């Protein structure tokens, strides 16, 4: 008999379930530009991706992004939803390498990939994350499988944001 092994994993919520929970449906109409998505949500997503140091996403190519469409408003712009963060600087996986088009040496270097926004829009988006800073740090600090050194590195990385 072989010894049991323990490994950690995570699940991603199915896009259909996510859409239903948010009274939306998955956007399957085709490719869109980032500036054609909901402006507020796109700003939040862009700041989030910058905060965690993730350049491995694209709305246009549907790369590590899903789009949701509101069920009750057919004129509403689609809502972008990010996933797959293993190439982010926050995770800093051993195998992660930046796309050469980014012109950065390491995934821990941040690149803002969002469209230009006003200082007010950026400030409002940054405030969303600042208001949740304590909860984010608590989540990192209380996540048992993460070694203490990795917790310190993650918090230091977020502090640089």
């Amino acid at each position: 008999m072989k010894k049991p092994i323990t490994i950690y994993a995570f699940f991603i919520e199915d896009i259909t379930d996510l859409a239903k929970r948010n009274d939306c449906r998955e956007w399957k109409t085709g490719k869109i530009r980032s500036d054609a998505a909901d402006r507020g949500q796109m700003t939040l997503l862009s700041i989030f991706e910058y905060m965690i140091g993730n350049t491995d996403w694209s709305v246009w190519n549907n790369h590590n992004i899903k789009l949701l469409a509101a069920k009750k408003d057919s004129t509403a712009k689609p809502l972008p939803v990010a996933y797959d963060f293993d190439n982010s600087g926050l995770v800093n996986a051993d195998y992660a390498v930046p796309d050469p088009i980014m012109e950065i040496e390491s995934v821990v270097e941040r690149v803002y990939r969002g469209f230009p926004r006003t200082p007010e829009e950026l400030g409002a988006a940054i405030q969303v994350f600042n208001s949740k800073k304590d909860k984010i740090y608590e989540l990192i600090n209380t996540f048992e499988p993460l070694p203490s050194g990795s917790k310190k590195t993650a918090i230091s990385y977020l502090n640089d944001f």
Side-chain angles (χ1 to χ4, degrees):
M1 179 176 210
K2 292 185 178 185
K3 285 183 166 182
I5 61 170
T6 300
I7 58 173
Y8 295 101
F10 62 91
F11 293 96
I12 297 175
E13 183 177 18
D14 181 80
I15 188 65
T16 305
D17 295 334
L18 174 68
K20 184 177 179 180
R21 186 167 51 81
N22 288 280
D23 201 24
C24 293
R25 60 177 172 74
E26 183 178 4
W27 174 277
K28 293 183 180 181
T29 308
K31 293 182 175 183
I32 67 164
R33 296 183 330 264
S34 294
D35 62 340
D38 179 85
R39 188 174 179 96
Q41 188 67 24
M42 192 66 235
T43 303
L44 280 172
L45 182 139
S46 299
I47 292 296
F48 172 77
E49 297 281 25
Y50 178 76
M51 178 181 75
I52 68 167
N54 192 24
T55 59
D56 188 31
W57 62 278
S58 168
V59 172
W60 172 253
N61 289 319
N62 293 322
H63 181 67
N64 294 331
I65 297 286
K66 294 286 187 179
L67 296 168
L68 299 180
K71 284 183 179 178
K72 293 181 181 176
D73 184 358
S74 62
T75 64
K77 292 184 174 187
L79 302 165
V81 179
Y83 68 96
D84 194 0
F85 309 112
D86 63 329
N87 281 315
S88 71
L90 180 64
V91 173
N92 197 17
D94 293 341
Y95 57 82
V97 293
D99 186 320
I101 199 167
M102 292 294 124
E103 298 182 355
I104 56 176
E105 297 290 320
S106 165
V107 294
V108 298
E109 295 179 57
R110 287 182 172 95
V111 176
Y112 178 73
R113 298 198 58 215
F115 274 79
R117 296 295 193 244
T118 66
E120 293 79 19
E121 288 174 300
L122 292 174
I126 291 168
Q127 180 54 36
V128 168
F129 297 107
N130 281 339
S131 71
K132 298 180 184 317
K133 181 178 176 179
D134 291 341
K135 288 185 180 188
I136 293 168
Y137 286 15
E138 179 183 356
L139 180 65
I140 292 168
N141 282 319
T142 60
F143 187 61
E144 190 176 312
L146 194 62
S148 62
S150 296
K151 292 175 184 180
K152 289 177 185 172
T153 300
I155 288 174
S156 175
Y157 189 77
L158 291 174
N159 280 335
D160 287 342
F161 166 70

